[in-house]
Amino acid sequence: MDRLEKIVLVFSAGLLGIFFLALLAAARLQAIDVPPCLPPEVKPFSAGRVDTLPDGTRQLFYVARMWRFEPEIVEVPVGKPVDIFLSAGDVTHGFYLSWTNTNLMAIPGAVNAYTVKIEKPGIYPIICHEYCGSAHQNMVAYILAK
Ligand code: CUA
């Protein structure tokens, strides 16, 4: 192996290391993490509802069905963590909470979860991003952050 070959190999390995560190830094800065395990008390559910825990945490239980989310309009406090639990009543749907990094799949028989903190007051549309039938494009719900 000649000298130039060694330099190129070391440079390439260093570059890969830099890319890997940049990936870790970006994930850390944007608070991207693997999905959490569900607490054992969360069981599959078939109706949407909103709960408030004793410490004030809002828990939203969404059910996606052709072609709506249940509950359709929910009010949440600004700057407080909101637990979102999501399931589906018929086929697979998507769940994207606009202007946040909340992006889940609604899968029949399964519960997916994410905790989001909304920092600015406003109206946040929830959009289905998985094609689910002829009225897929109309499937929307809203979170009002106040
Ligand atoms: Cu539900 Cu597309």
Side-chain angles (χ1 to χ4, degrees):
M1 188 184 296
D2 76 359
R3 195 165 170 268
L4 182 65
E5 233 175 348
K6 279 184 188 162
I7 290 171
V8 168
L9 278 176
V10 168
F11 178 76
S12 304
L15 207 55
L16 279 177
I18 289 170
F19 288 161
F20 185 69
L21 291 177
L23 202 68
L24 291 180
R28 170 61 69 92
L29 288 173
Q30 298 201 16
I32 296 169
D33 209 344
V34 292
C37 293
L38 286 177
E41 66 272 18
V42 175
K43 301 279 185 266
F45 49 92
S46 57
R49 69 175 197 275
V50 177
D51 288 350
T52 304
L53 298 181
D55 68 359
T57 302
R58 202 66 60 90
Q59 289 192 323
L60 315 180
F61 292 81
Y62 280 101
V63 176
R65 284 196 179 89
M66 291 182 210
W67 287 277
R68 64 197 168 84
F69 292 99
E70 197 188 296
E72 200 176 347
I73 298 176
V74 174
E75 225 179 272
V76 304
V78 170
K80 298 260 171 66
V82 175
D83 297 333
I84 293 172
F85 300 96
L86 175 67
S87 193
D90 40 34
V91 299
T92 301
H93 298 268
F95 183 104
Y96 173 64
L97 178 56
S98 304
W99 309 303
T100 70
N101 55 4
T102 309
N103 186 338
L104 299 167
M105 297 302 292
I107 299 166
V111 178
N112 281 320
Y114 189 70
T115 300
V116 65
K117 200 190 280 184
I118 297 179
E119 300 292 356
K120 282 188 191 159
I123 301 171
Y124 291 76
I126 296 164
I127 293 159
C128 179
H129 59 67
E130 179 74 18
Y131 182 73
C132 56
S134 60
H136 154 75
Q137 72 281 358
N138 299 333
M139 200 169 158
V140 68
Y142 298 93
I143 288 185
L144 313 178
K146 290 187 174 179

